[in-house]
Amino acid sequence: MPDSRVSVPRTNVRVVETAAQLRSEVTAARSAGKTIGLIPTMGALHEGHLSLVRAARHECGFTIATVFVNPTQFGPHEDFDKYPRTMAKDLELLDSVGTDVVFAPDRQSVYPSGFSTYVDPPEIANPWEGQCRPGHFRGVTTIVLKLFHLAGADVAYFGQKDYQQARVIQRMVEDLDVPVVVRVCPIVREADGLAMSSRNRYLDAEQRNRALALWRSLSLARDLVAAGERDGARVAQAMHDRLTELGVDRIDYAGLADPVTLQPVAEIQGPVVALIAAHVGQTRLIDNLRIEI
Ligand code: AMP
């Protein structure tokens, strides 16, 4: 009989699947006086994720990456079932950047039967993504707080790619006195500007080309502000127009927000963040750009 198991390359990274195993790893690292860095991911890893691991390695003696496609942050009609799962490749990549431990629990151990306690996310979760994906941030805050506890993290690394998510987590940490330092790392882009995303692998060549509309629209917003435009609504309109011209299939939102409160900006008086969520084919993409004045 051929061996049907996925062949996982031999790696130095240790993979643990239970909370108890993770605890014993963390206890050993702590007794050796190491600082613990945590990188939560949903797998299907790319350079964006690896940049977070590198940042953690730079700052922490012990690095834990988690790979868990978190069901509670997906809406009923979203892509939970078809979300890419590429564990063997993920382990290879995590190993190549020197991750110490990968925590890859199964759904049942994270959400055992009877699980019913959730973290109610802060107000900044309400606009933008919060409006388009009801319940999404409640799933995010819940899993992230659980992972903080499970990993005993000192420092946790998130990408600016999910700008609002990073702000929501920072606010949760502040509001609930969670003893974790949150680091937000820059967006890693392809050479032509497309933000790296696990969902990019859904795109065919023609869609990949149209997906560049997001970066082009953000760049336009930056150029308009640099040229002196101070009306947030006009910039938002120009962003929408550019996305439509360049052929995205549907825009969930495109506009300027206050980088701290995430409130839409009417008059640009300081730094803003341009935010976009748009669909290309069946794929929903998000991107953002901080704009200084
Ligand atoms: P995900 O696996 O999509 O949940 O992402 C896990 C972490 O990686 C999140 O903190 C993301 O913001 C971050 N991330 C995803 N894509 C990028 C990127 N292109 N550059 C930097 N960080 C990223």
Side-chain angles (χ1 to χ4, degrees):
M1 283 276 285
D3 187 347
S4 61
R5 287 172 304 181
V6 176
S7 92
V8 178
R10 183 182 291 276
T11 61
N12 296 314
V13 65
R14 292 189 297 287
V15 183
V16 304
E17 292 175 356
T18 67
Q21 286 170 316
L22 183 62
R23 282 234 168 79
S24 81
E25 288 283 353
V26 170
T27 306
R30 279 230 177 285
S31 6
K34 292 179 176 165
T35 306
I36 304 203
L38 175 73
I39 305 100
T41 84
M42 298 205 298
L45 302 182
H46 50 67
E47 264 305 309
H49 299 109
L50 301 185
S51 74
L52 305 182
V53 179
R54 291 195 191 94
R57 292 257 300 151
H58 190 69
E59 204 174 18
C60 302
F62 196 76
T63 308
I64 302 171
T66 68
V67 176
F68 180 64
V69 185
N70 175 37
T72 62
Q73 69 189 69
F74 287 79
H77 305 294
E78 295 182 357
D79 58 346
F80 174 73
D81 287 329
K82 71 163 196 168
Y83 196 83
R85 287 156 172 92
T86 58
M87 188 57 97
K89 182 70 188 164
D90 291 349
L91 295 181
E92 218 178 284
L93 290 170
L94 289 170
D95 189 42
S96 74
V97 290
T99 314
D100 292 297
V101 164
V102 176
F103 180 50
D106 66 20
R107 179 180 183 152
Q108 185 59 24
S109 73
V110 178
Y111 297 112
S113 93
F115 178 94
S116 60
T117 306
Y118 291 84
V119 178
D120 195 10
E123 266 178 29
I124 50 171
N126 294 340
W128 314 104
E129 283 295 281
Q131 233 171 45
C132 301
R133 303 184 68 188
H136 168 67
F137 283 124
R138 178 179 187 251
V140 170
T141 47
T142 302
I143 188 67
V144 169
L145 190 65
K146 278 171 73 79
L147 292 174
F148 285 175
H149 287 314
L150 285 164
D154 296 302
V155 191
Y157 297 82
F158 295 89
Q160 192 201 307
K161 166 72 168 38
D162 298 271
Y163 189 93
Q164 190 175 11
Q165 168 178 283
R167 286 291 309 129
V168 163
I169 289 162
Q170 283 174 322
R171 188 72 224 195
M172 172 185 79
V173 161
E174 234 174 282
D175 286 353
L176 299 184
D177 305 302
V178 186
V180 174
V181 173
V182 174
R183 296 258 186 264
V184 183
C185 302
I187 302 177
V188 178
R189 299 181 178 281
E190 305 284 358
D192 61 4
L194 181 70
M196 290 192 186
S197 163
S198 303
R199 290 187 169 97
N200 290 351
R201 63 188 79 203
Y202 297 146
L203 304 169
D204 65 26
E206 180 273 329
Q207 293 169 335
R208 164 72 179 72
N209 204 30
R210 283 192 287 134
L212 262 185
L214 279 78
W215 171 241
R216 298 217 163 111
S217 172
L218 293 171
S219 306
L220 173 66
R222 178 197 57 207
D223 293 347
L224 289 171
V225 175
E229 180 61 79
R230 292 294 176 264
D231 183 328
R234 274 211 293 267
V235 176
Q237 186 59 54
M239 291 172 70
H240 275 83
D241 293 346
R242 180 58 51 97
L243 288 166
T244 308
E245 270 160 42
L246 295 176
V248 306
D249 293 303
R250 182 150 61 91
I251 302 169
D252 276 354
Y253 57 78
L256 302 184
D258 180 286
V260 178
T261 65
L262 269 304
Q263 285 308 299
V265 167
E267 194 193 338
I268 305 164
Q269 293 173 315
V272 292
V273 57
L275 298 168
I276 296 178
H279 298 250
V280 176
Q282 300 297 307
T283 306
R284 184 175 186 275
L285 299 170
I286 61 171
D287 198 356
N288 68 83
L289 182 65
R290 259 191 78 110
I291 301 173
E292 315 289 333
I293 61 168

